[in-house]
Amino acid sequence: MTASIPGRLHPVDLARVAAVGLRTRRTRAALSALGIAIGVAAMVAVLGLSASSQAGLLAEIDKLGTNLLTVAPGQSLTGQDARLPLQAPGMIGRIPAVEAVQSTGDTKVNAFRSPLIPGLQTNGLTVNAASLDLPAAVRTTVAEGRYLNAATATQPVAVLGSAAARRLGIARVHPGMRIWVGGQWFYVSGILSPAALSPEIDSSVLVGYPAARRYLDFDGHPSMIYVRARTGHVEEVHGLLGATANPRNAGEVRVSQPSAALVARAAAESALNGLFLGLGAVALLVGGIGVANTMVISVLERRSEIGLRRALGATRGGIRLQFLSEAVLLAALGGAAGVALGVAATVVYASVKGWATIVPMLAWGGGLGAAVVIGGVAGLLPALRAARMPPTEALRTA
């Protein structure tokens, strides 16, 4: 405190006076600012992690391609399961804007690690006939061993999806490895990496079409057709696939775009952010109550200072502005600490996940702004109380 205090303080002097009040009660100020920091950190982290995860997902979708379409049988008018014609993949391949067509067909048999396993313990696995260029069409690779070729597609040889291999307890492929498929042994030639756009392949045991017909009594009808369209012609191809795959009953064909499902999943995840933002807002509100409590106690403890300043010429407005500035400064410091914590959490988690770190301006700017507003609201009542205190009463009660 100076010997002479003007009625109105310069903004720099006002900030200095507000900071003095916080420095003299550091522990209390730190605890009050902690509530603000936790609320702001939660809000920044939620928005930052959401933006980073969506960016990572969209980058993954761009890498996998948004031009993959799938064709599957729907239902007939009587409600029965429809079937795709045997010629459906070939007919789709004649569409000018189609780059690649691959397919799988459900053989209706089960696969087990050995014939000693009970038939009811299927582990959710399906055995599908698969075309030879399927991995390239769905943008996956062979993690272990080799995929089917023209020779092995005619023999009792199987390739496992990533989830199928895990459920069967197979981590590596070695010569002579066999599994029990449809009542007979099939040799395992490879394991696929996860297929992000086609998760049904992950839980599949894949065999060649000729082998499926020969050993598993497969009828040859495809149950899923994977179509890669030229970029920029996806919607055009999408509109033609139903009638092309089944000209007689186009309504019995289901056409979908797997990447659209991933985008929808990202939107659903962002919708959940409202819940976490609400929790952050609650923490911010609790922090604001802490600031208000700190400022009320500060006014009671500093009555002598208030009385002396009023006696030396400080106006009620100056006193009010001093304590209001102190509350705003306290909340702003907590908000800045919360922004730093939220950004740090986003950077660490995004780095672990391999995402690009994105913290929207709305996250840190809005968090800091919310902290300042909370501080102003929380400090308004204590500031008014301090301004209404007569100098004689303040000095006498002090």
Side-chain angles (χ1 to χ4, degrees), residues 270-349:
S270 64
L272 293 177
N273 292 339
L275 173 62
F276 297 104
L277 288 176
L279 295 177
V282 170
L284 193 60
L285 179 61
V286 172
I289 295 174
V291 171
N293 182 61
T294 297
M295 295 308 301
V296 168
I297 296 175
S298 179
V299 170
L300 294 177
E301 292 179 343
R302 297 163 64 185
R303 285 174 296 184
S304 60
E305 175 189 340
I306 296 172
L308 183 58
R309 287 203 60 208
R310 289 296 308 278
L312 293 175
T315 63
R316 288 187 175 185
I319 297 296
R320 183 170 56 246
L321 189 58
Q322 173 191 345
F323 282 90
L324 185 61
S325 300
E326 188 171 324
V328 170
L329 179 60
L330 177 59
L333 292 175
V339 169
L341 290 174
V343 171
T346 302
V347 170
V348 171
Y349 192 81

Side-chain angles (χ1 to χ4, degrees), residues 38 49 52 57 65 104 119 126 180 248 262 265 363:
I38 292 175
L49 290 176
S52 299
L57 179 58
T104 60
T126 59
W180 190 251
R248 291 185 177 180
L262 292 181
R265 189 185 76 184

Side-chain angles (χ1 to χ4, degrees), residues 5 20-21 37 164 197 223 248 283 334 345:
I5 301 177
V20 168
L197 291 180
S223 58
R248 291 185 177 180

Side-chain angles (χ1 to χ4, degrees), residues 101-344:
V101 180
Q102 299 296 314
S103 64
T104 60
D106 190 357
T107 63
K108 309 298 183 183
V109 301
N110 296 318
F112 305 93
R113 190 68 176 86
S114 76
L116 302 179
I117 298 176
L120 295 178
Q121 298 181 8
T122 62
N123 283 322
L125 303 181
T126 59
V127 179
N128 293 322
S131 52
L132 299 184
D133 292 325
L134 180 65
V138 298
R139 297 291 195 270
T140 189
T141 57
V142 179
E144 286 284 334
R146 295 181 178 180
Y147 188 68
L148 301 169
N149 56 41
T152 57
T154 63
Q155 302 301 318
V157 176
V159 174
L160 308 179
S162 59
R166 185 173 61 255
R167 295 172 192 173
L168 291 172
I170 300 175
R172 302 186 66 86
V173 176
H174 57 77
M177 176 177 288
R178 301 185 299 177
I179 58 175
W180 190 251
V181 180
Q184 55 193 299
W185 290 109
F186 269 64
Y187 289 94
V188 177
S189 67
I191 300 174
L192 295 179
S193 301
L197 291 180
S198 309
E200 66 278 359
I201 292 178
D202 294 340
S203 58
S204 298
V205 176
L206 305 176
V207 302
Y209 268 92
R213 293 190 181 95
R214 181 177 179 182
Y215 298 103
L216 304 177
D217 296 326
F218 177 51
D219 59 12
H221 287 271
S223 58
M224 184 71 76
I225 302 175
Y226 300 92
V227 181
R228 284 285 177 181
R230 292 179 185 172
T231 303
H233 297 271
V234 176
E235 294 300 325
E236 175 188 345
V237 174
H238 187 283
L240 297 174
L241 284 178
T244 304
N246 192 347
R248 291 185 177 180
N249 299 289
E252 298 180 359
V253 179
R254 290 187 296 108
V255 180
S256 61
Q257 188 175 5
S259 58
L262 292 181
V263 173
R265 189 185 76 184
E269 290 177 352
S270 64
L272 293 177
N273 292 339
L275 173 62
F276 297 104
L277 288 176
L279 295 177
V282 170
L284 193 60
L285 179 61
V286 172
I289 295 174
V291 171
N293 182 61
T294 297
M295 295 308 301
V296 168
I297 296 175
S298 179
V299 170
L300 294 177
E301 292 179 343
R302 297 163 64 185
R303 285 174 296 184
S304 60
E305 175 189 340
I306 296 172
L308 183 58
R309 287 203 60 208
R310 289 296 308 278
L312 293 175
T315 63
R316 288 187 175 185
I319 297 296
R320 183 170 56 246
L321 189 58
Q322 173 191 345
F323 282 90
L324 185 61
S325 300
E326 188 171 324
V328 170
L329 179 60
L330 177 59
L333 292 175
V339 169
L341 290 174
V343 171

